[in-house]
């Protein structure tokens, strides 16, 4: 009698559990992308969205028996919104992976949520070195500014550039770029004449550029968030700096492929260091650029390739868990992935969960009537220098 | 040094044209129109779209930007603004800020949120040196256009019949109506011109300030600072305020970049503590 009652109580419970398990296997696998689709960094969101959709179109929307569902939310580049949206995605939508994050503060604001909920967070844009240390659940497929800045410092030091003014946007990535460019450049015998930081929301670059002009350096090293390069380049020319013999060097953000053609001849000859150029000469990239341009009206930039690779990392991780998912298992499967990306060979470092890739030195040239970042030098398999020092 | 002064003046002039329309509606018509920036943005987008999609030359787009925004302003005045004239200021603020958000989202949806680029004709590009002062050609152009506008505005307000009618209509609409002045028409025209000026400012500023859907929100603070520092009862007040702010902003960013944009706010606080009614505002005016 008693036994039967216990059994009666347990049986539905067990059945229920079993059903839930089976249900989880067939439930869609949700990827919540939080991107700035409006506001100052909207081009970042637009690029990553297009790339993620392209990846799905090319690789199917079912992985290991589970349907992939892409949820794209706009945070307009405001950290408070990012955090709130991440919370909603985790609690209400029960997403399996968070992805996106256009700017450093946005990624940093969300990191605690990823840790608490044990949800992997794939950063496909924000590029401050420190981000991946903010949570053990963060994996990055974009790049880090120290990677690009150090490569530029190395190149500048070896190419007859002696005096440099740095001009960066005053927030974490800018300060990263400034710091790592400086240390590498000084090591190569260069001299920094002035360090200028401009506010994140500066409508007018005139006073900063005038200071650059008055300091008469050989070159000015510039970092600006993606999307602001064109406005800057315009004022650079307006001030006559292009004709005064001051070279413009920087990380690839200023000659963003997305806007490069709008900049016009001013951009010619600008030398930058970055992990991706749409003109990268490899069959994988040619296919990628062709498909991307066919699906959209614009050229992919380094943000797009990060979004594309981010999707790849998520897909392969889900495949490795045989469709089961689960935060820790996914994370383990993301670590150490090595693959051929449109940008070249890419590895997700198992220890730092950060991306390791080649950094190219490029120069803007006109090819077939269009402006491109033409790669002419490369540093192979660059790890994030920001983390080398910490260890 | 003088180059900086020149840049500051150009920036200030641009701020002036952008905000003078607001000074007119706010000071003369006594209406708090926070949607002013949306009209400026409309003018900017008129220029950008005409140039980039239809290939209209830059100079020709300027009057068109003015005209289009003025018509837009007139249509809005007729339909949306007029019922709000007698409402309390808080209602006006809420109403117009709502318009701003609708404009931001609307433009974002229709045109897209990316920065818009225009290329001004080559004779306006680059710069030349005049006795050691580097002068950006486009900035010089802005100063000239804005200077002419200021003179014209001042003349209209103080010397013409329309100016005196407007002042009469503002001071006491009922008596003005009784004297045979068509108050509604005067207000309509004034609002249209104010919006048109904003549109022209937006068109001129597209090259220097950039243009994107959040433009009205990004620059709202600047408009309000110019108007509150300058006072709303004259044209010269906002002009001087705009120049002061433009120059302070440029100099501040050059000599003390660490303080960045804060200089402008510090200056505003200092002036408003000293003269709460604005530099040229009259005490006790409404």
């Amino acid at each position: 009698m008693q036994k039967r009652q216990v059994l009666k109580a347990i049986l539905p419970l067990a059945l229920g559990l079993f059903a839930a398990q089976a249900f989880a296997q067939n439930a869609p696998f949700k990827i919540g992308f939080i991107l700035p689709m409006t506001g100052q960094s909207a081009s970042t969101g637009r690029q990553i969205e297009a790339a993620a959709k392209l990846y799905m179109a090319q690789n199917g929307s079912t992985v290991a028996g589970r349907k992939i569902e892409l949820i794209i939310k706009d945070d307009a580049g405001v950290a408070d919104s990012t955090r709130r949206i991440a919370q909603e995605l985790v609690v209400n939508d029960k997403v399996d992976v968070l992805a996106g994050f256009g700017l450093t503060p946005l990624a940093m604001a969300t990191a605690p949520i990823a840790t608490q909920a044990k949800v992997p967070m794939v950063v496909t844009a924000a590029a401050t070195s420190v981000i991946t240390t903010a949570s053990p659940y963060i994996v990055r497929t974009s790049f880090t500014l120290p990677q690009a800045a150090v490569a530029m410092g190395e190149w500048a030091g070896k190419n007859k550039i002696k005096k440099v003014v740095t001009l960066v946007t005053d927030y974490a990535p800018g300060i990263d770029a400034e710091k790592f460019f400086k240390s590498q450049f000084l090591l190569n015998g260069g001299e920094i004449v002035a360090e200028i930081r401009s506010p994140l929301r500066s409508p007018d670059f005139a006073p900063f550029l005038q200071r650059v002009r008055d300091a008469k350096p050989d070159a000015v090293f510039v970092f600006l968030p993606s999307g602001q390069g064109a406005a800057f380049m315009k004022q650079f020319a307006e001030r006559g700096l292009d004709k005064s013999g001051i070279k413009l060097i920087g990380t690839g953000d200023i000659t963003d492929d997305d806007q490069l053609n709008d900049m016009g001849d001013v951009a010619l000859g600008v030398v930058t260091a970055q992990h991706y150029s749409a003109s990268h000469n490899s069959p994988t990239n040619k296919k990628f650029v062709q498909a991307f341009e066919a699906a959209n009206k614009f050229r992919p930039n380094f943000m797009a390739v990060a979004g594309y690779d981010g999707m790849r990392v998520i897909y392969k991780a889900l495949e490795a868990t045989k469709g089961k998912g689960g935060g820790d298992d996914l994370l383990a499967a993301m670590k150490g992935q090595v693959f051929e990306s449109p940008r070249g060979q890419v590895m997700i470092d198992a220890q730092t969960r950060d991306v390791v890739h080649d950094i190219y030195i490029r120069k803007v040239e006109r090819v077939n009537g269009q402006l491109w970042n033409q790669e002419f030098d490369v540093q192979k398999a660059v790890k994030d220098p920001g983390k080398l020092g910490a260890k | 040094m003088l180059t900086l002064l020149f840049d500051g003046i150009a920036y200030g002039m641009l701020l002036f044209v952008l905000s003078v329309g607001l000074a007119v509606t706010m000071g003369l018509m006594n209406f708090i129109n926070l949607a002013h920036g949306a009209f400026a943005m409309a003018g900017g987008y008129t220029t950008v779209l005409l140039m980039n999609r239809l290939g209209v030359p830059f100079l020709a787009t300027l009057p068109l930007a003015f005209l289009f925004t003025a018509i837009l302003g007139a249509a809005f005045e007729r339909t949306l603004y007029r019922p709000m004239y007698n409402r309390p200021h808080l209602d006006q603020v809420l109403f117009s800020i709502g318009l701003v958000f609708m404009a931001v989202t609307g433009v974002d949806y229709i045109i897209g949120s990316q920065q818009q680029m225009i290329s001004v004709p080559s004779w306006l590009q680059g710069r030349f040196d005049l006795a050691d002062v580097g002068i950006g050609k486009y900035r010089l152009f802005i100063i000239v256009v804005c200077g002419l506008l200021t003179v014209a505005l001042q003349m209209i307000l103080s010397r013409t019949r329309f100016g005196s009618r407007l002042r009469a209509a503002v001071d006491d609409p009922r008596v003005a109506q009784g004297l045979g002045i068509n108050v509604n028409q005067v207000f309509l025209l004034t609002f249209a011109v104010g919006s048109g000026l904003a549109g022209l400012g937006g068109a001129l500023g597209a090259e220097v300030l950039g243009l994107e859907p959040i433009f009205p929100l990004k620059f709202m603070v600047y408009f309000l600072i110019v108007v509150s520092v300058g006072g709303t009862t004259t044209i010269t007040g906002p002009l001087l305020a705009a120049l002061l702010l433009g120059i302070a902003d440029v100099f501040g960013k050059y000599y003390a970049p660490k303080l960045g944009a804060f200089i402008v706010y510090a200056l505003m606080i200092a002036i408003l503590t000293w003269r709460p009614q604005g530099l040229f505002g009259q005490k006790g005016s409404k």
Side-chain angles (χ1 to χ4, degrees):
Chain A
M1 184 64 186
Q2 249 186 350
K3 223 182 209 170
R4 183 174 282 175
Q5 252 174 358
V6 171
L7 261 178
K8 254 187 184 166
I10 289 176
L11 201 66
L13 205 74
L15 271 175
L17 271 177
F18 182 72
Q21 200 88 36
F23 178 70
Q25 281 284 338
N26 294 322
F29 183 85
K30 292 181 183 170
I31 306 173
F33 264 93
I34 310 177
L35 296 167
M37 304 298 294
T38 51
Q40 223 165 10
S41 309
S43 83
T44 299
R46 204 165 49 112
Q47 288 273 353
I48 294 177
E49 180 191 23
K53 287 191 169 151
L54 176 66
Y55 191 88
M56 277 187 85
Q58 287 178 339
N59 296 278
S61 54
T62 315
V63 176
R66 286 186 73 177
K67 189 128 185 74
I68 304 284
E69 191 184 322
L70 207 56
I71 305 173
I72 292 175
K73 298 267 183 186
D74 176 21
D75 63 6
V78 182
D80 290 348
S81 320
T82 322
R83 199 189 157 90
R84 177 178 51 75
I85 293 168
Q87 229 148 18
E88 284 170 11
L89 283 174
V90 167
V91 176
N92 296 344
D93 296 308
K94 310 223 166 12
V95 293
D96 298 276
V97 176
L98 286 167
F101 310 101
L103 296 164
T104 299
L106 315 183
M108 296 305 270
T110 317
I113 295 176
T115 313
Q116 273 173 18
K118 297 194 185 346
V119 169
M121 177 172 150
V122 180
V123 176
T124 63
T128 315
S129 169
V130 75
I131 287 174
T132 48
T133 63
S135 162
Y137 286 87
I138 294 180
V139 170
R140 171 156 49 195
T141 61
S142 48
F143 72 115
T144 80
L145 275 162
Q147 287 174 335
V150 164
M152 198 66 239
E154 175 84 16
W155 184 85
K158 287 183 179 160
N159 284 275
K160 292 185 200 147
I161 293 172
K162 292 278 163 267
K163 278 163 65 184
V164 167
V165 172
T166 59
L167 171 54
V168 301
T169 302
D170 195 1
Y171 75 135
I175 293 160
D176 255 11
E178 179 191 280
K179 184 172 133 202
F180 284 92
F181 173 79
K182 185 178 165 187
S183 63
Q184 189 65 31
F185 186 58
L186 294 182
L187 210 65
N188 281 301
E191 182 195 347
I192 304 280
V193 196
E195 293 171 28
I196 306 171
R197 292 177 185 175
S198 74
L200 189 55
R201 286 186 172 253
S202 180
D204 189 11
F205 291 106
F208 306 118
L209 285 171
Q210 188 59 36
R211 262 193 78 182
V212 171
R213 198 185 157 101
D214 292 348
K216 297 197 176 63
D218 298 326
V220 52
F221 171 82
V222 180
F223 163 79
L224 300 168
S226 174
Q228 289 187 17
F232 175 82
M233 209 67 93
K234 219 167 208 190
Q235 298 202 4
F236 186 81
E238 189 206 319
R239 213 125 285 265
L241 264 73
D242 53 334
K243 294 189 186 71
S244 66
I246 298 172
K247 280 203 190 73
L248 184 56
I249 58 177
T251 59
D253 310 70
I254 45 165
T255 54
D256 191 338
D257 271 306
D258 199 16
Q259 297 183 323
L260 190 54
N261 263 322
D262 289 337
M263 295 181 195
D265 289 348
V266 194
L268 285 175
V270 175
V271 176
T272 51
Q274 192 79 328
H275 56 282
Y276 179 69
S277 159
S279 75
H280 178 64
N281 195 5
S282 78
T284 316
N285 184 50
K286 285 209 173 103
K287 242 188 273 167
F288 170 68
V289 174
Q290 211 168 24
F292 191 95
E293 286 188 324
N296 306 284
K297 278 190 194 133
F298 45 92
R299 199 193 274 183
N301 70 358
F302 58 95
M303 292 297 184
V305 82
Y308 192 77
D309 291 351
M311 286 296 280
R312 198 258 178 211
V313 166
I314 298 170
Y315 263 54
K316 294 293 167 198
L318 181 59
E319 229 172 77
T321 64
K322 303 203 173 57
K324 274 214 262 324
D328 291 304
D329 292 343
L330 283 174
L331 195 72
M334 287 177 185
K335 289 180 190 170
Q337 283 195 24
V338 179
F339 58 97
E340 164 86 12
S341 139
R343 70 183 105 171
Q345 196 72 12
V346 172
M347 182 176 90
I348 304 296
D349 187 341
Q351 265 141 36
T352 59
R353 289 161 279 109
D354 220 331
V355 61
V356 178
H357 50 192
D358 301 345
I359 298 286
Y360 305 91
I361 309 289
R362 315 95 46 88
K363 188 184 217 163
V364 179
E365 283 169 15
R366 195 174 280 285
V367 181
N368 297 333
Q370 289 203 25
L371 294 178
W372 297 95
N373 286 305
Q374 294 294 86
E375 296 164 350
F376 64 87
D377 200 357
V378 62
Q379 295 190 9
K380 286 282 181 192
V382 180
K383 279 194 173 191
D384 176 29
K387 287 179 198 89
L388 295 179
K391 280 207 179 122
Chain B
M1 175 70 191
L2 282 171
T3 310
L4 279 182
L5 189 64
F6 173 80
D7 284 340
I9 291 173
Y11 190 41
M13 279 292 201
L14 196 57
L15 282 181
F16 170 68
V17 174
L18 276 166
S19 26
V20 69
L22 184 63
V24 170
T25 41
M26 213 145 116
L28 294 179
M29 294 170 63
N30 200 21
F31 186 90
I32 314 283
N33 180 22
L34 293 186
H36 189 72
F39 290 104
M41 178 169 71
Y45 273 100
T46 312
T47 291
V48 166
L49 293 182
L50 282 175
M51 282 184 74
N52 293 353
R53 304 250 165 109
L54 300 176
V56 181
F58 175 69
L59 282 187
T61 65
L62 293 180
L64 287 174
F66 177 85
L67 216 66
F68 174 72
T69 345
I71 293 169
L72 197 70
F76 272 68
E77 202 270 349
R78 259 288 140 82
T79 51
L80 294 174
Y81 279 84
R82 191 165 295 167
M84 300 299 293
Y85 282 155
N86 293 322
R87 304 289 286 277
H89 281 168
L90 180 62
D91 286 7
Q92 297 175 351
V93 165
L94 290 176
F95 161 75
S96 53
I97 198 82
L99 279 186
V100 171
F101 282 111
M102 283 164 69
V104 169
T105 327
V107 169
D108 196 337
Y109 180 74
I110 298 166
I111 303 170
S113 53
Q114 67 274 27
Q115 275 267 357
Q116 297 291 337
M117 291 290 146
I118 56 168
S119 42
V120 296
S122 54
W123 56 272
L124 279 176
Q125 286 175 8
R127 68 186 223 157
F128 58 88
D129 287 315
L130 192 73
D132 252 13
V133 186
I135 293 182
K137 290 177 192 163
Y138 189 74
R139 278 169 205 257
L140 183 65
F141 176 71
I142 288 179
I143 293 180
V144 171
V145 172
C146 299
L148 289 176
L149 268 176
T150 316
V151 173
L153 268 181
Q154 186 63 32
M155 297 291 270
I156 291 172
L157 275 181
S158 60
R159 298 280 164 83
T160 63
R161 181 175 284 263
F162 178 79
S164 39
R165 277 186 177 165
L166 174 63
R167 279 176 283 137
V170 168
D171 280 343
D172 198 331
R174 271 185 66 205
V175 173
Q177 191 95 45
L179 288 169
I181 297 174
N182 188 343
V183 173
N184 276 345
Q185 205 176 31
V186 170
F187 274 10
L188 177 71
L189 253 165
T190 311
F191 194 86
V193 171
S195 309
L197 282 173
L200 182 63
L204 282 170
E207 167 81 4
V208 178
L209 307 175
L211 190 64
E212 54 198 329
I214 56 162
F215 183 89
L217 289 172
K218 205 168 158 188
F219 284 94
M220 186 157 70
V221 178
Y222 285 90
F223 303 149
L224 291 176
I225 293 178
V226 167
V227 172
S228 58
V229 167
T232 51
T233 44
T234 55
I235 293 292
T236 34
L239 173 66
L240 276 173
L243 286 178
L244 198 64
L245 287 175
I247 293 169
D249 198 33
V250 170
F251 270 76
K253 280 176 179 165
Y254 185 89
Y255 286 109
K258 290 232 164 67
L259 289 174
F262 182 71
I263 305 263
V264 170
Y265 300 105
L267 193 70
M268 178 190 72
I269 292 168
I271 290 177
L272 289 182
T273 319
W274 171 49
R275 281 183 72 90
Q277 71 275 32
L279 278 179
F280 288 83
Q282 287 152 12
K283 265 211 178 98
S285 75
K286 53 178 181 177

